Amino acid sequence: LSSRANAIEIVPQSADEIKVGDIVSYQSEYADGTIIHRVIAKGIDEDGTYFTMKGDNNNRADPGKIRFSQIKRVIVAIVY
């Protein structure tokens, strides 16, 4: 996102609302603050639904599985 852009975000009510390709803001145990990255995979394991995230300009996916409880918002539009 450009520093001149504004994001319009919604608060998701369930993991079913989050799809591969969505841009979300989330909290990670691997970094301070809020991260805004794209969902590149969605899976289910013994702990439930998880997401794999990656920044569009990054070479690798973010570390760890991201759970629904860590996701704060889904970006639905970017206004420049």
Side-chain angles (χ1 to χ4, degrees), residues 7-25:
I8 299 172
E9 302 172 299
I10 62 167
V11 177
Q13 300 303 306
S14 73
D16 292 338
E17 294 180 33
I18 302 169
K19 309 289 184 221
V20 171
D22 284 349
I23 299 170
V24 301
S25 60

Side-chain angles (χ1 to χ4, degrees), residues 17 34 44 51 55-56 59 66 70-71 77-78:
E17 294 180 33
T34 301
I44 298 174
F51 303 90
D56 288 350
N59 292 326
I66 305 304
Q70 295 172 263
I71 295 174
I78 299 172

Side-chain angles (χ1 to χ4, degrees), residues 50-74:
Y50 68 88
F51 303 90
T52 303
M53 309 296 185
K54 180 182 167 293
D56 288 350
N57 294 317
N58 293 351
N59 292 326
R60 296 187 188 120
D62 299 352
K65 295 176 180 178
I66 305 304
R67 303 296 173 171
F68 177 72
S69 62
Q70 295 172 263
I71 295 174
K72 304 306 174 198
R73 302 216 175 356
V74 176

